[in-house]
């Protein structure tokens, strides 16, 4: 996919599913974008050293966001990066916290709400 096609795909996902108040930042110059295999969820991020720092919440259908974050975390790990969800909203932050809450379970990424 070319940069223009990816930008079009990002805009299509934004138009279709909306997003959080920070979603507009996902279109900024210098961002990278990870798309779920089916193309319905996009995670905008920037690399800071070996940290993949997201730009707000993932964008896509609410039911698919949690699983897509797992996919994004696997993608990051394959590339030697540490995923960090930065600027996620309170609702999505709570969803992630419940997934990482059981005793002995390690959260697959850092979350900074």
């Amino acid at each position: 996919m070319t940069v223009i096609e990816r930008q079009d795909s990002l805009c299509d996902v934004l138009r279709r599913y909306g997003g959080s108040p920070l979603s507009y930042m996902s279109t900024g110059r210098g961002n990278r974008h990870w798309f779920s295999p089916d193309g319905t969820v996009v995670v905008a991020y920037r690399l800071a050293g070996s940290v993949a720092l997201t730009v707000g919440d993932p964008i896509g259908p609410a039911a698919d966001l949690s699983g897509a974050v797992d996919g994004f975390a696997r993608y990051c790990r394959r590339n030697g990066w540490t995923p960090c969800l930065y600027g996620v909203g309170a609702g999505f932050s709570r969803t992630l916290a419940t997934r990482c809450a059981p005793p002995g379970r390690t959260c697959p990424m850092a979350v900074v709400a």
Side-chain angles (χ1 to χ4, degrees):
M1 218 184 254
T2 67
V3 172
I4 292 172
E5 288 169 333
R6 283 198 171 244
Q7 190 67 26
D8 288 346
S9 295
L10 168 64
C11 291
D12 291 342
V13 172
L14 275 168
R15 277 191 290 275
R16 185 164 186 190
Y17 300 105
S20 73
L22 296 179
S23 291
Y24 73 93
M25 291 177 58
S26 65
T27 63
R29 187 179 292 249
N31 289 337
R32 297 176 179 213
H33 301 97
W34 175 87
F35 287 86
S36 62
D38 65 1
T40 60
V41 178
V42 63
V43 176
Y45 67 98
R46 290 179 176 251
L47 282 179
S50 64
V51 175
L53 193 62
T54 67
V55 182
D57 291 354
I59 304 161
D64 297 345
L65 298 181
S66 189
V69 166
D70 291 338
F72 175 69
R74 285 189 300 274
Y75 169 76
C76 289
R77 300 243 186 269
R78 280 194 307 268
N79 285 287
W81 307 329
T82 301
C84 179
L85 301 180
Y86 181 78
V88 296
F92 192 65
S93 182
R94 281 190 297 276
T95 298
L96 292 172
T98 60
R99 292 179 56 224
C100 298
R105 173 122 193 235
T106 303
C107 196
M109 70 218 65
V111 179
V112 181

